[in-house]
Amino acid sequence: MKEDEIRPAALLDEYFHLLKLDAESLAKKSRDFVEVACPFCRDDGIAESFLKDGFHYRLCAACGSLYVSPRPRPGQLASYYVDAKAVRFWSQQFYKQTGMARREKMFRPRAQLIKALNERGMFSDTGMFADVGAGYGLFLQEVRALGLFDRLIGLEPEPHLASICREEGFEIIEKRVEDIKEGDLSVSVAACFEVIEHVFDPVSFLAGCKRLLKPGGLIILTTLTIDGFDLQVLWEQSRSITPPQHLNFPSIKGMSLLLSKTGLAEEEISTPGELDLDIVRNVSRQRPDARIPRFARKLAEADDAVREDFQQFLKRNRLSSHLRCIARRKR
Ligand SMILES: [Zn+2]
């Protein structure tokens, strides 16, 4: 997989231009923002910080996670996701033009992961599956095609997206997972791909996910880890570090602490990413002024065999920026 297949460069440029404008306009309301401690370990020590598009990113001194503080209140974030120009551009242009590629390169492999975990005997049962943050329902469609679960549920708080999913025939709960109560559902397997980086408070978010699950139920979560190669190399120059969309970047340690704070049992924290070197190479080629260490540039421009070998090294040693976490609700 190449970065360009799921994120074409020309569309991305316009998207990031809008994101920056949206961020700067929201940052003008920063007097209403709230100061938070590390969203993964709750420590308030800061090792270093930087400012991007009007938002302060802080590196946690205790667990090494990166997070925005002060950050917009939950209500401000909700309005942002309804009103922002970048969000509209994503749904009207980006999503439509890349939908097929994203289905094939992102959502189908995620469904294959669900299938593989089932074959590994990781699921207590296959009664109910929930997609937390169902979006346009693309992942639910792929899971439905597996024919594995008796009942599929999507959680999607945004009304427009929820209605798109319903038109596809899915059962949608129009709530944030934080508002789910114990016993509302009894989910066997829940997934939340690329959601936790957006939420106001990952601990409340994951606690909500836990309440969805039946005892023994499994949650599969992906996000970006700040321990990963492209984020470490590019740091504040990384396009993944975009406020106010991406507020939370756990370290591997931070992710593990988040699970123990929520009372979920860790089954796996891995970084099966494919794109680190590709991302660094794209930045190196497209933005000649980017500050990239010579050695990282050399690796990114190396022969395919070397690049592949190094990407495998990153995967094996939990040093890719794509993090996958699998956890279980204790019985
Ligand atoms: Zn921390």
Side-chain angles (χ1 to χ4, degrees):
M1 178 163 72
K2 295 273 188 292
E3 189 190 18
D4 213 36
E5 291 171 335
I6 50 168
R7 307 171 195 146
L11 280 180
L12 268 189
D13 286 345
E14 174 63 10
Y15 176 65
F16 280 102
H17 172 66
L18 293 173
L19 265 179
K20 190 176 166 70
L21 296 181
D22 288 331
E24 287 166 352
S25 108
L26 181 56
K28 289 186 185 129
K29 298 173 189 158
S30 62
R31 64 189 172 282
D32 299 326
F33 290 4
V34 273
E35 196 91 33
V36 296
C38 171
F40 300 98
C41 77
R42 298 291 200 223
D43 193 276
D44 59 5
I46 299 165
E48 54 181 285
S49 61
F50 60 85
L51 185 67
K52 188 164 181 184
D53 304 339
F55 289 76
H56 293 274
Y57 280 89
R58 294 176 167 175
L59 186 68
C60 172
C63 80
S65 298
L66 185 76
Y67 62 98
V68 168
S69 178
R71 60 179 54 194
R73 291 174 188 279
Q76 288 179 302
L77 284 173
S79 330
Y80 168 87
Y81 281 106
V82 173
D83 299 331
K85 293 187 194 72
V87 176
R88 208 166 305 146
F89 178 78
W90 181 273
S91 63
Q92 289 172 357
Q93 301 288 327
F94 201 101
Y95 168 76
K96 289 206 176 80
Q97 294 188 41
T98 62
M100 284 310 287
R102 294 173 75 81
R103 180 191 295 276
E104 197 183 312
K105 302 283 178 183
M106 293 174 68
F107 296 104
R108 198 153 299 155
R110 288 174 186 176
Q112 289 305 313
L113 168 67
I114 300 296
K115 184 167 176 253
L117 293 175
N118 181 51
E119 284 162 3
R120 268 162 60 186
M122 304 248 330
F123 301 164
S124 60
D125 63 278
T126 50
M128 197 193 299
F129 176 88
D131 186 16
V132 180
Y136 294 88
L138 289 183
F139 179 56
L140 278 175
Q141 288 178 32
E142 296 299 324
V143 175
R144 180 165 60 191
L146 294 177
L148 199 57
F149 297 94
D150 301 334
R151 186 175 166 197
L152 300 180
I153 303 264
L155 268 83
E156 180 47 64
E158 210 278 290
H160 172 64
L161 293 173
S163 78
I164 293 175
C165 291
R166 287 197 185 103
E167 279 163 23
E168 279 295 324
F170 293 113
E171 186 181 344
I172 299 297
I173 297 175
E174 217 171 293
K175 276 185 184 172
R176 300 183 319 145
V177 74
E178 290 90 331
D179 300 324
I180 293 290
K181 294 190 178 60
E182 187 69 61
D184 279 355
L185 287 167
S186 185
V187 168
S188 323
V189 180
C192 61
F193 290 104
E194 320 289 312
V195 180
I196 208 161
E197 59 271 34
H198 302 275
V199 305
F200 180 79
D201 179 25
V203 174
S204 326
F205 177 85
L206 208 57
C209 293
K210 181 183 161 190
R211 291 194 296 275
L212 276 180
L213 294 172
K214 59 164 67 169
L218 203 70
I219 178 156
I220 299 128
L221 171 163
T222 64
T223 188
L224 292 162
T225 169
I226 195 62
D227 287 344
F229 181 76
D230 64 277
L231 290 178
Q232 286 288 319
V233 167
L234 299 171
W235 206 240
E236 81 277 13
Q237 305 168 103
S238 166
R239 278 181 154 179
S240 294
I241 300 181
T242 41
Q245 296 238 339
H246 292 174
L247 300 169
N248 315 303
F249 295 85
S251 61
I252 299 290
K253 183 179 174 190
M255 191 69 226
S256 196
L257 289 167
L258 174 65
L259 291 182
S260 54
K261 283 217 174 313
T262 321
L264 286 162
E266 178 178 327
E267 297 268 340
E268 176 192 314
I269 295 178
S270 58
T271 69
E274 307 271 354
L275 295 179
D276 299 67
L277 283 182
D278 212 38
I279 290 169
V280 171
R281 186 168 71 176
N282 287 347
V283 172
S284 159
R285 289 180 179 179
Q286 290 157 12
R287 289 150 61 191
D289 58 327
R291 297 175 311 284
I292 300 173
R294 284 170 194 279
F295 186 61
R297 216 181 269 268
K298 198 169 187 60
L299 278 170
E301 292 290 354
D303 295 344
D304 285 350
V306 175
R307 286 159 47 82
E308 177 54 24
D309 198 22
F310 188 70
Q311 189 68 46
Q312 291 300 330
F313 170 86
L314 296 178
K315 282 191 202 183
R316 280 199 308 278
N317 294 287
R318 300 203 291 185
L319 289 167
S320 159
S321 63
H322 172 68
L323 180 148
R324 179 165 85 206
C325 168
I326 302 174
R328 193 179 298 283
R329 179 164 186 174
K330 294 168 189 164
R331 285 176 201 278

